[in-house]
Amino acid sequence: MAARNSEGYDLIGDIHGCGATLSALLEKLGYTQHGGVYRHPKRKVIFLGDLIDRGPRIRLAVSIARRMVEAGEAHIVMGNHEYNALAYCHPAPAGSGKRWLREHTPRHNRIIEDTLAQYRDHTNEWEDTLAWFKTIPLCLELEGIRVVHACWDATLIDQLLKRRPDACMDDAFLVESTDPSTQAFRILDCLTRGTHIPLPSGIEIHSGDGFTRKSFRTHFWSRAPQVWGDVVFQPDNLPGDLEARPLTDAQRERLSYYGPDEPPLFIGHYWCEGIPALPAVNIACLDYSAVKYGRLVAYRWSGETELSADHFVWVRVPKEENALPNQWEVDSV
């Protein structure tokens, strides 16, 4: 367990390659560059994962975060996009019938194409970045707070820590995690993607991010949910009258639950929209759709057990994200 520094942590949500906006947010929070690393005299950062994919300054975002982590100025947890990149680039075991752990389907290719394009002329840097991704833990419990990309499920986290006390993956865990029948898959799927409920046959959501989805994302802080609308947590509305559809017993059993008496929890992943707000008194979601020209959001935590919306700090992401003032370039340090 890491000791808390003197004033607390600034937790930052999904960046998705908005590297110049990350630089602007850090400066707004009072961080300045020293020796190529953003530092604060009394605070540290915790990144909630999803540094990569979709945005215009992916290498910059990764470099800023990695240098801060390696200098002891930040912590980080793994997002589903870092995990996806590891599986996409890792050969499948012989005899599996696949070439890669994450198959190179049109959908998977589209998700990672911006990242691969921006590292195309930096292949050694990309390989080194993938190696660094393997050192990122799936969850953190620091003094007074918990951090995970998508969902804190105590049972699955206990299983993870029994197998991997550092909460990180090795290659064997990564390979196992791509088999839906395994414990490793259940851990990775829940912690980095959260829980979800399949839509009825023939019904799809045409999402705002350009993808067609056959399930919807669910949250984990409703004590006794009765209908789908009690647990849906995404900006896309459910089609028709599905919010009133009763949850089945099997669906309830798949849902996690995080009670109001648990320590403050910080998550990303769910691409919220609008002005940042707290979904529960002890839970803050910090993904506010930065890469869709939303907000890159931080929460300034200073030891409180009951969170406050007054502690959100954000920067709007402009249409031309790479036009933001920024003197911190990947190749210049």
Side-chain angles (χ1 to χ4, degrees):
M1 181 173 290
R4 193 173 74 219
N5 62 334
S6 59
E7 282 191 359
Y9 294 104
D10 297 315
L11 298 104
I12 296 178
D14 305 33
I15 299 161
H16 279 305
C18 295
T21 306
L22 172 59
S23 175
L25 177 60
L26 287 168
E27 291 171 6
K28 185 173 183 177
L29 291 167
Y31 290 76
T32 55
Q33 299 173 44
H34 301 280
V37 177
Y38 276 105
R39 306 173 192 268
H40 191 285
K42 295 183 178 180
R43 302 183 68 84
K44 293 183 181 180
V45 164
I46 303 176
F47 295 104
L48 272 66
D50 280 7
L51 304 175
I52 64 169
D53 293 342
R54 298 176 176 155
R57 305 288 291 276
I58 294 167
R59 291 176 57 232
L60 178 61
V62 171
S63 295
I64 290 173
R66 180 176 179 180
R67 291 181 185 189
M68 291 183 72
V69 170
E70 292 182 340
E73 300 297 328
H75 301 281
I76 187 171
V77 295
M78 182 175 290
N80 57 303
H81 283 257
E82 285 77 41
Y83 168 73
N84 289 346
L86 287 170
Y88 186 94
C89 297
H90 194 289
S96 67
K98 301 191 300 182
R99 184 176 178 187
W100 307 98
L101 290 181
R102 181 173 168 87
E103 294 184 279
H104 292 190
T105 64
R107 178 188 177 90
H108 294 166
N109 294 343
R110 179 183 168 191
I111 290 171
I112 202 173
E113 65 181 348
D114 292 310
T115 297
L116 296 181
Q118 291 175 46
Y119 279 97
R120 183 171 292 122
D121 297 329
H122 308 274
T123 54
N124 290 341
E125 182 184 336
W126 177 236
E127 292 300 318
D128 190 52
T129 297
L130 289 170
W132 178 61
F133 285 170
K134 290 181 183 178
T135 71
I136 297 176
L138 296 171
C139 58
L140 285 173
E141 186 162 12
L142 305 175
E143 185 179 337
I145 58 173
R146 292 170 174 170
V147 186
V148 71
H149 182 67
C151 177
W152 188 279
D153 184 293
T155 299
L156 293 175
I157 287 174
D158 286 346
Q159 292 174 6
L160 169 65
L161 296 178
K162 286 178 181 176
R163 294 183 56 171
R164 304 289 306 174
D166 60 359
C168 298
M169 293 187 299
D170 58 8
D171 282 348
F173 195 100
L174 174 63
V175 171
E176 181 188 333
S177 72
T178 60
D179 179 349
S181 69
T182 65
Q183 180 191 67
F185 175 89
R186 292 189 292 274
I187 292 169
L188 257 298
D189 192 51
C190 183
L191 272 57
T192 67
R193 298 189 188 101
T195 53
H196 54 272
I197 291 177
L199 294 165
S201 178
I203 296 180
E204 299 175 336
I205 295 175
H206 299 285
S207 177
D209 62 2
F211 288 94
T212 298
R213 304 183 187 277
K214 298 182 179 181
S215 64
F216 67 92
R217 293 178 175 181
T218 56
H219 67 68
F220 49 90
W221 46 86
S222 180
R223 185 185 299 275
Q226 299 299 311
V227 297
W228 286 14
D230 291 338
V231 294
V232 63
F233 192 56
Q234 59 182 33
D236 297 315
N237 294 324
L238 294 182
D241 59 356
L242 289 182
E243 287 206 2
R245 190 183 183 100
L247 286 160
T248 66
D249 290 341
Q251 289 166 348
R252 283 195 194 89
E253 288 176 5
R254 290 175 55 187
L255 298 173
S256 303
Y257 177 63
Y258 196 85
D261 297 328
E262 301 282 353
L265 172 65
F266 296 89
I267 58 174
H269 186 61
Y270 294 94
W271 32 282
C272 300
E273 295 178 341
I275 301 296
L278 297 170
V281 295
N282 61 335
I283 298 174
C285 180
L286 302 179
D287 179 8
Y288 274 79
S289 307
V291 79
K292 293 192 290 181
Y293 310 115
R295 294 168 171 84
L296 184 60
V297 176
Y299 184 97
R300 307 212 83 170
W301 183 80
S302 301
E304 68 271 18
T305 56
E306 183 172 318
L307 303 180
S308 169
D310 292 338
H311 294 182
F312 286 116
V313 179
W314 65 81
V315 172
R316 294 296 302 263
V317 181
K319 291 287 185 181
E320 294 297 330
E321 194 269 354
N322 59 2
L324 275 177
N326 179 53
Q327 284 134 26
W328 199 98
E329 294 294 340
V330 172
D331 295 323
S332 66
V333 178

